[in-house]
Amino acid sequence: MAKNIENKVNMLHQYAIRYVEAERNYRIELSREIMELRDRKIPVTIINDVARGNIAEQKFKRDLAEIEYKTSKDLLDALKSELSAIVTGK
């Protein structure tokens, strides 16, 4: 059980790295896209919506990485609770 938790902690760490990298990539691409749209004289009132639509794939990857991270964290919490219950005999 303890080895399983250690493996899950390592997995959670990898998911955390993927999540923050995906967030960084999304923000970089979003800012680049906004600047490109400004250079193309797209009306300011729609730039944010157009930019987000143009980089929807990066947002999807970011959101997926976030879900993987949170799911892994929840799994680890469940394993810790299970181990605690075994140790305390409840």
Side-chain angles (χ1 to χ4, degrees):
M1 175 71 71
K3 187 67 174 167
N4 192 16
I5 289 177
E6 184 180 337
N7 290 339
K8 298 302 181 194
V9 167
N10 292 334
M11 187 174 73
L12 179 62
H13 182 257
Q14 292 304 313
Y15 283 135
I17 290 170
R18 277 194 243 169
Y19 175 41
V20 297
E21 286 176 347
E23 178 70 24
R24 180 192 62 208
N25 293 340
Y26 171 71
R27 289 180 180 269
I28 289 169
E29 287 302 314
L30 180 59
S31 64
R32 282 184 185 150
E33 187 65 23
I34 288 171
M35 294 308 290
E36 286 180 24
L37 293 172
R38 283 184 181 174
D39 288 345
R40 291 176 23 208
K41 306 295 187 214
I42 301 296
V44 174
T45 55
I46 64 170
I47 281 180
N48 284 333
D49 291 333
V50 173
R52 283 177 170 69
N54 289 349
I55 63 161
E57 183 65 24
Q58 284 82 6
K59 185 171 191 228
F60 171 78
K61 289 177 183 177
R62 181 206 62 182
D63 292 348
L64 182 60
E66 179 183 16
I67 289 169
E68 288 174 333
Y69 170 75
K70 288 181 178 180
T71 301
S72 180
K73 188 172 186 299
D74 290 344
L75 175 62
L76 180 60
D77 289 342
L79 284 172
K80 288 190 311 188
S81 294
E82 185 179 332
L83 180 60
S84 178
I86 290 171
V87 170
T88 61
K90 294 181 181 182

